[in-house]
């Protein structure tokens, strides 16, 4: 009885909603910290290094799977609850006055959640999928000018705690004495699978060339055709997120049975989180679209 | 406040029986004293209907003193009408203006089927109560006085506040999800806070929540509407306490 109750009962559904929701709040804070690097002066280098870390670090991989599971569970549980709740009132009222006793956000969690889910899907198609599956993803380049020579473009890579400047020709994948260069310490390097840097002689992987997620992001929000639309869509989604968090954050604690002398503080923190986090997220595409 | 008379328009849910389809009917009622209670106004409407040889409106009422939990009515989109902290019998016509149109509907919930017009069957609450809302006491002749067990004042006060629930169903009626968690939360809390309730605490919360789910009530989404519309001011804290009790009981 006890075991099945923890999966099926109305209260258990609330626990899961609360736990996945709070975990996703942690995810939001982490994701925001990463994204804010887009506002730094050397954004390209910082953000691409961060993107490489996020796609290759094993601890991050575990967290990312937890995040995917949480999003799916939160959405499925939410849809299930919404259908059950509608079924609990088969005949609707003719006249209602819901604003008299409850807030807008608390009554529209399903609608707000749907807007956020649509955003997450498009967001993953635009960035996550390109980062993971796009064979022609742009690579991060830098131009180096040496006095008396033509300026040359290099791909930027990292590995073994060192930065690499890989000659463009190395992209061909053939190990030739002259095709790879590293700044400071010449080494024969070649690039395999577009992003993996190999020591040409020993045929050992030494690092990765940065995928230029920074360029993808900036190009996306500055696109002459859809850049404005993408920016507006992003801002609208963050507005939905703000309302969702406004109710959701403190509601999660109530669902978990925490309603005591700390509740006013939890409510205050939740509302601050609901304003600050989506606002900072929204500033980034606005900044990219309207500057430079 | 000086008494005066107002003329009002009523839109009332009429439904012949549990199986029939219902609809809103419009009535005009003149010379309603602002000193009369809402239920007296309905009595006046019924007298008018009887005079016109029409079927009077069926509605629930009993003590008309705000303590029995029998009266209901969803008035202008709110459980027990526009005022807070009262039942419909304590609502007076001075809360309305001359020429107002007043919508009167029964509680709407899958678990509260309409019997006739504005009367709904709230026996789902009784079944939840029977599933665990009690303490088993030996009454063979050596019953121990409840007051012989010391209870901290704070706990006693909170248990008393929870026990103030009159089971009227306003929480279910006003909840956008048709959830009964304020009612069940209050009934669970009332015992969970007292030493006498500890013996059966595990079964109580599991059985009451199971019965609540079986009756077809919705799931709480913490909108807080129930707490505002509750005529007895039962707090959301009671739902949180039920959630704690349920977690404790489920992990045993």
């Amino acid at each position: 009885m006890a075991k099945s109750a923890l999966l099926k009962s109305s209260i258990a559904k609330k626990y899961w909603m609360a736990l996945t929701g709070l975990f996703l709040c942690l995810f939001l804070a982490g994701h925001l910290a990463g994204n804010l690097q887009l506002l730094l002066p050397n954004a390209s280098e910082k953000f691409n290094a961060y993107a490489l870390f996020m796609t290759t670090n094993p601890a991050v991989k575990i967290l990312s799977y937890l995040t995917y599971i949480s999003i799916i569970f939160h959405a499925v549980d939410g849809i299930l609850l919404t259908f059950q709740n509608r079924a609990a009132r088969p005949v609707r009222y003719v006249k209602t006055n819901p604003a008299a006793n409850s807030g807008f956000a608390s009554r529209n969690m399903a609608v707000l959640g749907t807007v956020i889910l649509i955003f997450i899907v498009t967001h993953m198609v635009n960035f996550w999928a390109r980062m993971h599956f796009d064979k022609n993803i742009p690579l991060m380049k830098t131009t180096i000018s040496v006095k008396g020579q033509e300026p040359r473009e290099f791909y930027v890579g990292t590995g073994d705690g060192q930065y690499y400047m890989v000659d463009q020709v190395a992209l061909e994948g053939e190990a030739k004495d002259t095709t790879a260069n590293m700044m400071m310490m010449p080494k024969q390097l070649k690039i395999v699978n577009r992003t993996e840097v190999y020591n040409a002689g020993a045929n050992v992987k030494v690092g990765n060339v940065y995928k230029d997620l920074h360029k993808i992001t900036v190009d996306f929000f500055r696109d002459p055709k859809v850049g404005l639309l993408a920016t507006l869509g992003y801002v609208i989604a963050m507005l939905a997120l703000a309302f969702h968090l406004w109710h959701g954050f403190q509601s999660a604690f109530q669902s978990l049975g925490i309603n005591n002398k700390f509740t006013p503080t939890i409510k205050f923190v939740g509302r601050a989180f609901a304003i600050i986090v989506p606002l900072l997220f929204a500033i980034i595409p606005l900044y990219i679209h309207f500057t430079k | 406040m000086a008494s005066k008379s107002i003329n009002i328009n009523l839109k009332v849910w009429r439904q012949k029986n549990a199986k029939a389809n219902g609809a809103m009917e419009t009535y005009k009622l003149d010379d309603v004293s602002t000193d009369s209670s809402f239920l007296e106004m309905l009595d006046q409407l019924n007298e008018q209907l009887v005079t016109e040889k029409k079927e009077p409106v069926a509605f629930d009422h009993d003590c008309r003193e705000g303590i029995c939990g029998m009266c209901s009515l969803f008035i202008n989109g709110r459980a027990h009408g526009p005022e807070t902290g009262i039942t419909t019998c304590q609502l007076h016509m001075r809360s309305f203006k001359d020429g107002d149109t007043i919508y009167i509907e029964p509680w709407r919930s899958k678990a509260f089927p309409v019997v006739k017009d504005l009367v709904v069957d709230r026996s789902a609450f009784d079944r939840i109560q029977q599933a665990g809302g009690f303490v088993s006491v030996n009454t063979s002749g050596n019953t121990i006085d409840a007051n012989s067990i010391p209870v901290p004042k704070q706990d006693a006060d909170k248990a008393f506040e929870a026990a103030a629930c009159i089971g009227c169903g306003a929480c279910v009626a006003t909840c956008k999800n048709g959830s009964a968690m304020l009612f069940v939360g209050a009934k669970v809390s009332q015992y969970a806070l007292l030493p006498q309730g500890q013996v059966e605490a595990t079964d109580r919360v599991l059985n009451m929540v199971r019965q609540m789910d079986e009756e077809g009530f919705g799931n709480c989404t913490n909108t807080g509407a129930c707490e505002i519309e509750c005529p007895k001011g039962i707090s959301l804290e009671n739902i949180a306490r039920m959630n704690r009790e349920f977690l404790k009981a489920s992990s045993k």
Side-chain angles (χ1 to χ4, degrees), chain B residues 183-201:
Chain B
F183 168 76
V184 183
K187 297 303 176 192
V188 166
S189 289
Q190 166 185 347
Y191 298 105
L193 285 157
L194 298 175
Q196 290 90 339
Q198 301 312 308
V199 183
E200 290 149 309

PDB file of all heavy atoms in Angstrom, chain B residues 183-201:
ATOM      1  N   PHE B 183     -10.020  20.400   3.175  1.00  0.00           N
ATOM      2  CA  PHE B 183     -10.883  19.622   4.073  1.00  0.00           C
ATOM      3  C   PHE B 183     -10.088  18.457   4.681  1.00  0.00           C
ATOM      4  O   PHE B 183     -10.043  18.299   5.904  1.00  0.00           O
ATOM      5  CB  PHE B 183     -12.094  19.087   3.291  1.00  0.00           C
ATOM      6  CG  PHE B 183     -12.892  18.056   4.039  1.00  0.00           C
ATOM      7  CD1 PHE B 183     -13.751  18.423   5.063  1.00  0.00           C
ATOM      8  CD2 PHE B 183     -12.779  16.708   3.719  1.00  0.00           C
ATOM      9  CE1 PHE B 183     -14.485  17.472   5.759  1.00  0.00           C
ATOM     10  CE2 PHE B 183     -13.510  15.745   4.408  1.00  0.00           C
ATOM     11  CZ  PHE B 183     -14.366  16.131   5.440  1.00  0.00           C
ATOM     12  N   VAL B 184      -9.466  17.655   3.818  1.00  0.00           N
ATOM     13  CA  VAL B 184      -8.749  16.476   4.322  1.00  0.00           C
ATOM     14  C   VAL B 184      -7.554  16.908   5.176  1.00  0.00           C
ATOM     15  O   VAL B 184      -7.276  16.306   6.217  1.00  0.00           O
ATOM     16  CB  VAL B 184      -8.313  15.546   3.160  1.00  0.00           C
ATOM     17  CG1 VAL B 184      -7.643  14.292   3.704  1.00  0.00           C
ATOM     18  CG2 VAL B 184      -9.507  15.177   2.292  1.00  0.00           C
ATOM     19  N   GLY B 185      -6.879  17.985   4.754  1.00  0.00           N
ATOM     20  CA  GLY B 185      -5.756  18.517   5.531  1.00  0.00           C
ATOM     21  C   GLY B 185      -6.192  18.901   6.938  1.00  0.00           C
ATOM     22  O   GLY B 185      -5.505  18.612   7.921  1.00  0.00           O
ATOM     23  N   ALA B 186      -7.356  19.545   7.039  1.00  0.00           N
ATOM     24  CA  ALA B 186      -7.865  19.961   8.347  1.00  0.00           C
ATOM     25  C   ALA B 186      -8.195  18.746   9.198  1.00  0.00           C
ATOM     26  O   ALA B 186      -7.862  18.684  10.385  1.00  0.00           O
ATOM     27  CB  ALA B 186      -9.099  20.844   8.175  1.00  0.00           C
ATOM     28  N   LYS B 187      -8.853  17.755   8.578  1.00  0.00           N
ATOM     29  CA  LYS B 187      -9.275  16.568   9.335  1.00  0.00           C
ATOM     30  C   LYS B 187      -8.072  15.734   9.778  1.00  0.00           C
ATOM     31  O   LYS B 187      -8.089  15.138  10.854  1.00  0.00           O
ATOM     32  CB  LYS B 187     -10.240  15.719   8.493  1.00  0.00           C
ATOM     33  CG  LYS B 187     -11.548  16.424   8.143  1.00  0.00           C
ATOM     34  CD  LYS B 187     -12.297  16.886   9.389  1.00  0.00           C
ATOM     35  CE  LYS B 187     -13.549  17.682   9.045  1.00  0.00           C
ATOM     36  NZ  LYS B 187     -14.115  18.364  10.214  1.00  0.00           N
ATOM     37  N   VAL B 188      -7.032  15.677   8.921  1.00  0.00           N
ATOM     38  CA  VAL B 188      -5.815  14.950   9.301  1.00  0.00           C
ATOM     39  C   VAL B 188      -5.089  15.707  10.416  1.00  0.00           C
ATOM     40  O   VAL B 188      -4.675  15.125  11.424  1.00  0.00           O
ATOM     41  CB  VAL B 188      -4.889  14.742   8.082  1.00  0.00           C
ATOM     42  CG1 VAL B 188      -3.490  14.299   8.516  1.00  0.00           C
ATOM     43  CG2 VAL B 188      -5.487  13.719   7.119  1.00  0.00           C
ATOM     44  N   SER B 189      -4.981  17.023  10.254  1.00  0.00           N
ATOM     45  CA  SER B 189      -4.235  17.856  11.206  1.00  0.00           C
ATOM     46  C   SER B 189      -4.838  17.815  12.604  1.00  0.00           C
ATOM     47  O   SER B 189      -4.124  17.735  13.604  1.00  0.00           O
ATOM     48  CB  SER B 189      -4.223  19.314  10.734  1.00  0.00           C
ATOM     49  OG  SER B 189      -3.396  19.450   9.614  1.00  0.00           O
ATOM     50  N   GLN B 190      -6.136  17.889  12.643  1.00  0.00           N
ATOM     51  CA  GLN B 190      -6.867  17.929  13.911  1.00  0.00           C
ATOM     52  C   GLN B 190      -6.410  16.792  14.834  1.00  0.00           C
ATOM     53  O   GLN B 190      -6.286  16.982  16.042  1.00  0.00           O
ATOM     54  CB  GLN B 190      -8.355  17.831  13.565  1.00  0.00           C
ATOM     55  CG  GLN B 190      -9.278  17.524  14.678  1.00  0.00           C
ATOM     56  CD  GLN B 190     -10.691  17.337  14.125  1.00  0.00           C
ATOM     57  OE1 GLN B 190     -10.990  17.662  12.984  1.00  0.00           O
ATOM     58  NE2 GLN B 190     -11.562  16.814  14.967  1.00  0.00           N
ATOM     59  N   TYR B 191      -6.137  15.617  14.242  1.00  0.00           N
ATOM     60  CA  TYR B 191      -5.684  14.476  15.047  1.00  0.00           C
ATOM     61  C   TYR B 191      -4.168  14.393  15.117  1.00  0.00           C
ATOM     62  O   TYR B 191      -3.607  13.975  16.126  1.00  0.00           O
ATOM     63  CB  TYR B 191      -6.250  13.168  14.480  1.00  0.00           C
ATOM     64  CG  TYR B 191      -7.755  13.121  14.516  1.00  0.00           C
ATOM     65  CD1 TYR B 191      -8.495  13.282  13.351  1.00  0.00           C
ATOM     66  CD2 TYR B 191      -8.423  12.946  15.720  1.00  0.00           C
ATOM     67  CE1 TYR B 191      -9.884  13.260  13.385  1.00  0.00           C
ATOM     68  CE2 TYR B 191      -9.811  12.921  15.766  1.00  0.00           C
ATOM     69  CZ  TYR B 191     -10.535  13.075  14.591  1.00  0.00           C
ATOM     70  OH  TYR B 191     -11.898  13.057  14.639  1.00  0.00           O
ATOM     71  N   ALA B 192      -3.497  14.788  14.020  1.00  0.00           N
ATOM     72  CA  ALA B 192      -2.037  14.664  13.972  1.00  0.00           C
ATOM     73  C   ALA B 192      -1.382  15.526  15.039  1.00  0.00           C
ATOM     74  O   ALA B 192      -0.269  15.243  15.484  1.00  0.00           O
ATOM     75  CB  ALA B 192      -1.530  15.054  12.593  1.00  0.00           C
ATOM     76  N   LEU B 193      -2.078  16.608  15.442  1.00  0.00           N
ATOM     77  CA  LEU B 193      -1.496  17.539  16.404  1.00  0.00           C
ATOM     78  C   LEU B 193      -1.682  17.094  17.852  1.00  0.00           C
ATOM     79  O   LEU B 193      -1.079  17.652  18.757  1.00  0.00           O
ATOM     80  CB  LEU B 193      -2.131  18.921  16.208  1.00  0.00           C
ATOM     81  CG  LEU B 193      -1.636  19.695  14.978  1.00  0.00           C
ATOM     82  CD1 LEU B 193      -2.668  20.734  14.551  1.00  0.00           C
ATOM     83  CD2 LEU B 193      -0.303  20.357  15.268  1.00  0.00           C
ATOM     84  N   LEU B 194      -2.537  16.123  18.067  1.00  0.00           N
ATOM     85  CA  LEU B 194      -2.871  15.727  19.433  1.00  0.00           C
ATOM     86  C   LEU B 194      -2.313  14.342  19.765  1.00  0.00           C
ATOM     87  O   LEU B 194      -2.248  13.476  18.889  1.00  0.00           O
ATOM     88  CB  LEU B 194      -4.393  15.723  19.622  1.00  0.00           C
ATOM     89  CG  LEU B 194      -5.062  17.090  19.443  1.00  0.00           C
ATOM     90  CD1 LEU B 194      -6.568  16.959  19.530  1.00  0.00           C
ATOM     91  CD2 LEU B 194      -4.553  18.086  20.482  1.00  0.00           C
ATOM     92  N   PRO B 195      -1.941  14.112  21.031  1.00  0.00           N
ATOM     93  CA  PRO B 195      -1.379  12.801  21.407  1.00  0.00           C
ATOM     94  C   PRO B 195      -2.351  11.656  21.131  1.00  0.00           C
ATOM     95  O   PRO B 195      -1.939  10.581  20.714  1.00  0.00           O
ATOM     96  CB  PRO B 195      -1.086  12.950  22.907  1.00  0.00           C
ATOM     97  CG  PRO B 195      -1.768  14.190  23.351  1.00  0.00           C
ATOM     98  CD  PRO B 195      -1.931  15.060  22.162  1.00  0.00           C
ATOM     99  N   GLN B 196      -3.657  11.902  21.308  1.00  0.00           N
ATOM    100  CA  GLN B 196      -4.640  10.838  21.088  1.00  0.00           C
ATOM    101  C   GLN B 196      -4.664  10.366  19.639  1.00  0.00           C
ATOM    102  O   GLN B 196      -5.105   9.258  19.343  1.00  0.00           O
ATOM    103  CB  GLN B 196      -6.059  11.323  21.470  1.00  0.00           C
ATOM    104  CG  GLN B 196      -6.261  11.524  22.952  1.00  0.00           C
ATOM    105  CD  GLN B 196      -5.906  12.941  23.395  1.00  0.00           C
ATOM    106  OE1 GLN B 196      -5.171  13.638  22.701  1.00  0.00           O
ATOM    107  NE2 GLN B 196      -6.404  13.344  24.545  1.00  0.00           N
ATOM    108  N   GLY B 197      -4.201  11.227  18.723  1.00  0.00           N
ATOM    109  CA  GLY B 197      -4.272  10.889  17.306  1.00  0.00           C
ATOM    110  C   GLY B 197      -3.093  10.092  16.793  1.00  0.00           C
ATOM    111  O   GLY B 197      -3.109   9.597  15.660  1.00  0.00           O
ATOM    112  N   GLN B 198      -2.051   9.952  17.641  1.00  0.00           N
ATOM    113  CA  GLN B 198      -0.798   9.348  17.157  1.00  0.00           C
ATOM    114  C   GLN B 198      -0.947   7.867  16.828  1.00  0.00           C
ATOM    115  O   GLN B 198      -0.350   7.378  15.881  1.00  0.00           O
ATOM    116  CB  GLN B 198       0.330   9.546  18.179  1.00  0.00           C
ATOM    117  CG  GLN B 198       0.635  10.998  18.503  1.00  0.00           C
ATOM    118  CD  GLN B 198       0.772  11.860  17.251  1.00  0.00           C
ATOM    119  OE1 GLN B 198       1.525  11.535  16.342  1.00  0.00           O
ATOM    120  NE2 GLN B 198       0.008  12.950  17.181  1.00  0.00           N
ATOM    121  N   VAL B 199      -1.747   7.160  17.636  1.00  0.00           N
ATOM    122  CA  VAL B 199      -1.839   5.695  17.492  1.00  0.00           C
ATOM    123  C   VAL B 199      -2.219   5.304  16.069  1.00  0.00           C
ATOM    124  O   VAL B 199      -1.609   4.413  15.472  1.00  0.00           O
ATOM    125  CB  VAL B 199      -2.870   5.126  18.507  1.00  0.00           C
ATOM    126  CG1 VAL B 199      -2.908   3.604  18.410  1.00  0.00           C
ATOM    127  CG2 VAL B 199      -2.515   5.580  19.918  1.00  0.00           C
ATOM    128  N   GLU B 200      -3.213   6.000  15.518  1.00  0.00           N
ATOM    129  CA  GLU B 200      -3.709   5.616  14.193  1.00  0.00           C
ATOM    130  C   GLU B 200      -3.213   6.545  13.089  1.00  0.00           C
ATOM    131  O   GLU B 200      -3.761   6.561  11.981  1.00  0.00           O
ATOM    132  CB  GLU B 200      -5.247   5.606  14.218  1.00  0.00           C
ATOM    133  CG  GLU B 200      -5.807   4.467  15.036  1.00  0.00           C
ATOM    134  CD  GLU B 200      -7.137   4.822  15.697  1.00  0.00           C
ATOM    135  OE1 GLU B 200      -7.228   5.880  16.363  1.00  0.00           O
ATOM    136  OE2 GLU B 200      -8.081   4.039  15.545  1.00  0.00           O
ATOM    137  N   ALA B 201      -2.158   7.324  13.389  1.00  0.00           N
ATOM    138  CA  ALA B 201      -1.723   8.389  12.469  1.00  0.00           C
ATOM    139  C   ALA B 201      -1.373   7.859  11.083  1.00  0.00           C
ATOM    140  O   ALA B 201      -1.765   8.439  10.064  1.00  0.00           O
ATOM    141  CB  ALA B 201      -0.535   9.138  13.071  1.00  0.00           C
TER     142      ALA B 201
END
